[in-house]
Amino acid sequence: MAETKTFEDLSALKDSEAAAAPVHAKKVDAQGRAYATGKRKNAVARVWIKPGAGKIVVNTKDFSQYFARPVLQMLLKQPLQAANRLDQFDIMATVTGGGLSGQAGAVRHGISKALTYFEPELRPVLKKGGFLTRDSRVVERKKYGRVKARRSFQFSKR
């Protein structure tokens, strides 16, 4: 049988578990850049950040040229604004797959992860804002005997 434990024994276990909390370390390459992969829908973004003047380049174009809609530009800047690092990092991203909205979400996710690799103390702020969570919603596949994923063929009585 299991031995009975007192509340003091359990509190000692709790303290030892708290001491074993994960410690996030800085992950930077030889050029002083942090790298992360961001994903949303079918889009995948590879993002590098390094200290700089706040220049954001997506697929060799300026981000305001690549993402012409102001909403998508705002989406990219959200993690930087939450961390108060708007003009402190140069960001270079390559993104493939999906549409513009999914690509913007993927770049945002990648920027957030790269920021946590460069400055681990920013993790609680970005986590609270929901920037580190991968949006896992993807398009449902088409099934046989259906027009689309769930839509049936039109019914005809005659």
Side-chain angles (χ1 to χ4, degrees):
M1 289 283 258
E3 56 186 84
T4 58
K5 300 210 181 221
T6 63
F7 286 119
E8 290 79 22
D9 296 338
L10 293 175
S11 66
L13 282 174
K14 182 180 174 187
D15 293 338
S16 65
E17 288 174 7
V23 177
H24 299 284
K26 187 174 180 177
K27 297 178 187 174
V28 180
D29 66 3
Q31 287 88 20
R33 303 174 302 183
Y35 168 78
T37 305
K39 295 181 182 182
R40 180 162 192 268
K41 293 188 177 179
N42 280 340
V44 179
R46 303 182 317 159
V47 179
W48 290 267
I49 67 166
K50 63 181 180 179
K55 186 178 175 189
I56 302 174
V57 178
V58 179
N59 288 355
T60 68
K61 293 182 181 178
D62 186 57
F63 85 105
S64 58
Q65 186 181 0
Y66 191 84
F67 296 113
R69 293 192 308 211
V71 173
L72 299 179
Q73 295 173 18
M74 178 201 69
L75 208 67
L76 254 64
K77 291 182 180 178
Q78 279 181 337
L80 296 168
Q81 287 172 339
N84 291 326
R85 303 286 191 272
L86 205 53
D87 296 326
Q88 296 181 14
F89 290 106
D90 285 342
I91 298 168
M92 204 279 280
T94 57
V95 62
T96 57
L100 280 180
S101 175
Q103 288 185 350
V107 173
R108 178 180 107 159
H109 185 229
I111 289 171
S112 304
K113 284 174 63 177
L115 276 172
T116 60
Y117 293 152
F118 199 87
E119 292 185 55
E121 56 272 5
L122 293 177
R123 185 173 172 83
V125 175
L126 295 171
K127 185 94 169 141
K128 187 177 179 188
F131 300 119
L132 297 176
T133 306
R134 192 252 200 253
D135 188 358
S136 60
R137 296 175 295 172
V138 292
V139 178
E140 191 176 346
R141 76 171 192 88
K142 183 197 175 299
K143 279 75 168 194
Y144 63 91
R146 300 269 175 183
V147 178
K148 296 176 7 181
R150 299 186 180 197
R151 167 103 167 81
S152 298
F153 292 105
Q154 184 170 349
F155 175 73
S156 175
K157 201 170 197 175
R158 288 180 190 70

